[in-house]
Amino acid sequence: MASIRSSFQPQLDNLNREIFTLVAFDPRGYGWSRPPGRDFPEDFLLRDARDGRDLMRALGYSRFSILGWCAGGISALLLAATYPDDVNKAVIWGAFAYMTDTLVDTFEALRDIDSWTFRPIVEELTTLYGEKYFRDTWNNFCDAMNAFISNPDGNICIEATERVTCPTLVAYGKLDGLIPEEHPLYLAEKIRNSQ
C-alpha cells in the first residue's frame, strides 16, 4: 500500500535527470491514484502491468525500462513477460511468482496493522489514506494475495518468469521480513538473462 512518494522519494529526488527520464505512478486505488478505490479482481496484478504500459504509451514511450518492488515487482515481471517488445530492462525486488503456506502465514500475521512494529509506516499510511481506507484496503490485499494459494503450485505468475526476455536484475534484501530467500533465487533461475 506504499505510494511512489513514500517508497521511492530518494530515488526520484536523486537519480540524475540528465541521464534518466523518470516516470512513476501509483497503481489505481493506491497513493495519489485515487479515486477510484483499490479493488482486487483476480487479474489485479496484470491490470497494474497493463496500466503501467498504457501510461508509458500515452506519454509517447514505446520502449522503456521498469522497476518494481513487492506486488509492484510482480506487476513489473508481468509487464516484461506480456509486452516484451516494450521493455528494455527490468529491476524486480521483493517479488515472488507463487504463494506458499509460509507467505500466507506472513500475510495473516501482518493483517492487523496494530501489530506492526515499525510504527512510522503505519502513521504515514494512515495519514495518506485515512485509517478506514488503509485498514480495509490492506485487509482486502491480504485476502487477494492469500487467494493465490488455491491455484496449482500457488501460481501467481510462474509461467511469466519464462517469458521475460529483457536483461533483469532480481534484487532481494537479506533482512526482508516478508519474502523468504527461495523466491528471488527462483526468479533468478527462471528468468533467463537475469542476475
Side-chain angles (χ1 to χ4, degrees):
M1 289 201 58
S3 71
I4 288 296
R5 290 180 184 168
S6 66
S7 295
F8 296 101
Q9 198 64 53
Q11 292 81 4
L12 295 172
D13 290 344
N14 295 303
L15 283 172
N16 186 336
R17 301 282 176 102
E18 293 178 18
I19 299 172
F20 299 104
T21 298
L22 302 175
V23 175
F25 84 103
D26 289 318
R28 59 176 85 179
Y30 283 155
W32 301 101
S33 292
R34 294 175 294 132
R38 182 66 177 185
D39 64 346
F40 299 95
E42 190 173 300
D43 69 340
F44 73 97
L45 294 165
L46 180 58
R47 180 185 66 186
D48 290 348
R50 283 191 306 260
D51 286 352
R53 190 249 190 181
D54 291 349
L55 172 64
M56 295 305 287
R57 287 292 178 113
L59 294 173
Y61 298 101
S62 60
R63 194 145 170 85
F64 46 87
S65 295
I66 55 176
L67 173 127
W69 168 52
C70 197
I74 299 168
S75 291
L77 192 153
L78 289 166
L79 195 160
T82 306
Y83 305 105
D85 293 338
D86 292 18
V87 181
N88 185 40
K89 295 180 182 177
V91 177
I92 298 167
W93 78 93
F96 44 100
Y98 55 89
M99 184 58 72
T100 63
D101 290 333
T102 300
L103 282 173
V104 169
D105 292 344
T106 301
F107 278 111
E108 286 306 314
L110 292 172
R111 185 181 291 274
D112 178 11
I113 62 174
D114 294 326
S115 69
W116 293 10
T117 56
F118 191 64
R119 298 310 300 168
I121 192 69
V122 173
E123 293 167 9
E124 180 180 326
L125 294 175
T126 300
T127 299
L128 176 63
Y129 292 114
E131 187 170 346
K132 180 172 178 17
Y133 187 88
F134 174 31
R135 285 182 186 279
D136 292 348
T137 306
W138 176 251
N139 188 58
N140 293 338
F141 174 77
C142 290
D143 287 343
M145 294 308 296
N146 288 347
F148 288 113
I149 196 70
S150 64
N151 292 346
D153 299 321
N155 181 34
I156 299 172
C157 61
I158 292 171
E159 69 291 338
T161 61
E162 297 178 3
R163 294 193 331 261
V164 176
T165 58
C166 65
T168 302
L169 176 63
V170 177
Y172 173 72
K174 284 281 189 184
L175 299 178
D176 190 316
L178 179 62
I179 309 302
E181 190 173 11
E182 75 178 86
H183 294 280
L185 294 175
Y186 176 87
L187 293 174
E189 176 187 330
K190 295 294 183 180
I191 299 172
R192 61 184 162 217
N193 204 13
S194 69
Q195 297 182 26

